[in-house]
């Protein structure tokens, strides 16, 4: 089924086939569960520059709903990550997407008035993979759904309320993402979750090295968020204020690195940057004239050893 066919014409009211119990009690359970998850989710939102990243937040909610649908339709175990295709899924997930459209229209936005966006702008693309989303959020999501008496199918439907709440905030309140782009992200997230076998609940990811990423801010940010690492994000307004006051912005970066060293982060990785070549090119040039990522590399070369780190290629790793 083409993605553009995922949404059918939005009904004026939620039809009984999408709400088999058809009772106000069930609708209240869904809403209460969605609201409780939203409260918990707000404490662990994926941030970029200190603000929630709309595309990532939308995709988290959609993938959780899709995964709940997967669990409702598939009773046998599959290897996590395996794509499971079935006609049952093809028939079920458009109903979820119609439910999302119903809630959005109820809040004043007809998301089906234009063709579905499938080419997501770079700035809006989700920064967390499905595996990372499930490792981070699935246990609390399903625990809350069970607490409110919802099975996996009803949990998926409650997930559409979560998606609509996130959509309403980002598209109608702060307006940091186009509503039709947001709808495309939700649609793809639901489909991806509904067709991909999740890991068992309670599965904890293997403990990873604590990693801090350095380099050009956008590159470092994407690498860090995709791999669950730390990075430096400074609001552009803060940088402008520092420059206006003739304060070297590098001091902020230096303090951020020092703080990570005090906390004994396992490694600092420079991404998409040949550190040795950079050090050679800038060794005889004025430090203050170098771009921030280059100054960080020069600073690490001079100071990291005294804090217990040694260089290994493009990284500085804590000494064992």
């Amino acid at each position: 089924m083409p993605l553009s066919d995922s949404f059918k014409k939005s009904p004026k009211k939620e039809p009984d086939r999408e709400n088999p119990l058809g009772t106000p009690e069930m609708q209240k359970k869904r809403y209460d569960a969605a609201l409780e998850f939203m409260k918990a989710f707000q404490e662990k939102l994926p941030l970029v520059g200190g603000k929630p990243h709309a595309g990532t937040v939308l995709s988290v909610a959609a993938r959780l709903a899709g995964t709940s649908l997967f669990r409702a339709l598939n009773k046998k175990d599959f290897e996590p990550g395996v794509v499971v295709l079935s006609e049952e899924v093809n028939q079920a997930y458009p109903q979820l997407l119609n439910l999302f459209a119903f809630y959005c229209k109820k809040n004043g936005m007809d998301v089906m008035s234009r063709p579905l966006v499938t080419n997501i702008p770079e700035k809006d693309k989700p920064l967390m993979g499905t595996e990372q989303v499930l490792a981070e959020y699935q246990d609390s999501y399903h625990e809350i759904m069970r607490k409110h008496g919802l099975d996996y199918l009803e949990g998926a439907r409650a997930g559409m309320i979560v998606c609509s709440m996130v959509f309403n905030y980002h598209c109608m309140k702060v307006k940091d993402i186009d509503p039709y782009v947001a709808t495309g992200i939700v649609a793809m997230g639901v489909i991806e979750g509904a067709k991909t076998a999740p890991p068992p609940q309670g599965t904890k990811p293997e403990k990873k090295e604590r990693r801090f990423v350095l380099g050009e801010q956008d590159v470092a940010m994407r690498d860090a968020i995709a791999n669950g690492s730390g990075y430096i994000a400074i609001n552009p307004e803060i940088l402008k204020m520092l420059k206006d006051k003739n304060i070297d912005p590098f001091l902020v970066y230096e303090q951020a690195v020092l703080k990570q060293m005090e906390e004994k982060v396992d490694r600092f990785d420079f991404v998409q940057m040949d550190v040795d070549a950079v050090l050679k090119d800038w060794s005889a040039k004025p430090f203050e004239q170098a771009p921030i990522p280059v100054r960080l590399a020069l600073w690490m070369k001079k100071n990291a050893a005294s804090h217990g780190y040694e260089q290994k290629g493009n990284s500085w790793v804590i000494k064992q």
Side-chain angles (χ1 to χ4, degrees):
M1 177 183 293
L3 186 58
S4 58
D5 293 339
S6 297
F7 284 94
K8 304 303 180 184
K9 186 176 180 181
S10 178
K12 292 184 179 180
K13 65 178 182 177
E14 186 179 345
D16 286 344
R17 71 177 181 275
E18 290 183 347
N19 180 14
L21 296 181
T23 64
E25 179 186 9
M26 177 52 69
Q27 294 187 45
K28 185 176 186 305
K29 284 183 177 181
R30 293 177 190 163
Y31 179 80
D32 289 346
L35 190 60
E36 182 171 342
F37 177 74
M38 278 298 300
K39 289 177 181 177
F41 189 29
Q42 285 173 354
E43 297 178 2
K44 300 176 66 177
L45 287 174
L47 304 177
V48 172
K51 297 180 180 179
H53 182 258
T56 306
V57 176
L58 285 158
S59 73
V60 168
R63 286 167 175 167
L64 288 170
T67 297
S68 194
L69 179 63
F70 181 98
R71 287 190 160 101
L73 299 178
N74 295 281
K75 305 306 179 185
K76 60 184 291 188
D77 293 331
F78 294 93
E79 188 72 21
V82 170
V83 176
V84 181
L85 305 178
S86 72
E87 186 57 31
E88 194 174 16
V89 170
N90 286 341
Q91 292 176 5
Y93 74 72
Q95 295 177 20
L96 281 189
L97 299 179
N98 280 344
L99 198 54
F100 168 73
F102 166 81
Y103 288 122
C104 290
K105 193 168 186 179
K106 192 174 180 181
N107 290 325
M109 174 63 69
D110 185 356
V111 298
M112 293 195 300
S113 62
R114 296 185 191 177
L116 191 65
V117 174
T118 57
N119 186 17
I120 307 301
E122 194 65 32
K123 73 178 184 66
D124 297 319
K125 287 182 178 178
L127 301 173
M128 295 177 72
T130 301
E131 180 182 356
Q132 188 181 357
V133 167
L134 296 180
E136 186 72 27
Y137 301 108
Q138 74 164 351
D139 288 349
S140 61
Y141 183 83
H142 292 304
E143 180 181 345
I144 289 170
M145 297 300 138
R146 285 192 294 270
K147 173 183 171 182
H148 288 270
L150 303 182
D151 60 16
Y152 287 130
L153 183 56
E154 292 299 342
R157 290 169 175 156
M160 293 298 91
I161 300 177
V162 175
C163 287
S164 70
M165 289 175 172
V166 175
F167 177 95
N168 190 59
Y169 175 79
H170 283 286
C171 298
M172 303 180 74
K173 187 175 181 180
V174 298
K175 299 181 179 179
D176 57 355
I177 186 171
D178 180 87
Y180 300 100
V181 171
T183 301
I185 291 172
V186 169
M188 287 186 277
V190 168
I191 293 167
E192 184 178 34
K195 293 189 174 185
T196 307
Q201 293 175 55
T203 302
K204 300 299 180 184
E206 294 182 8
K207 186 177 179 181
K208 297 181 179 180
E209 286 184 309
R210 291 188 302 151
R211 176 173 174 263
F212 201 80
V213 183
L214 301 172
E216 293 292 342
Q217 182 164 311
D218 288 348
V219 175
M221 175 192 73
R222 292 193 175 279
D223 183 288
I225 293 177
N227 294 288
S229 308
Y231 66 103
I232 301 171
I234 302 178
N235 189 301
E237 291 300 317
I238 299 295
L239 289 176
K240 182 178 183 302
M241 181 190 72
L242 293 174
K243 290 179 180 178
D244 289 345
K245 294 184 177 182
N246 292 319
I247 299 174
D248 188 351
F250 179 75
L251 295 175
V252 179
Y253 291 87
E254 180 183 27
Q255 290 303 310
V257 170
L258 283 170
K259 185 175 184 297
Q260 294 301 315
M261 288 180 167
E262 290 172 2
E263 294 178 1
K264 302 298 181 186
V265 68
D266 294 302
R267 61 188 298 126
F268 295 87
D269 292 337
F270 283 84
V271 291
Q272 294 190 22
M273 181 173 166
D274 186 336
V275 169
D276 286 334
V278 164
L279 294 174
K280 182 179 179 181
D281 289 345
W282 283 88
S283 60
K285 298 177 183 178
F287 179 81
E288 293 75 14
Q289 294 179 10
I292 292 292
V294 173
R295 293 171 74 177
L296 284 169
L298 293 166
W299 186 93
M300 293 291 284
K301 185 68 174 179
K302 181 179 179 181
N303 299 286
S306 63
H307 293 275
Y309 290 83
E310 58 185 343
Q311 185 183 358
K312 291 187 177 180
N314 290 330
S315 304
W316 270 266
V317 180
I318 197 166
K319 297 176 184 176
Q320 300 300 321

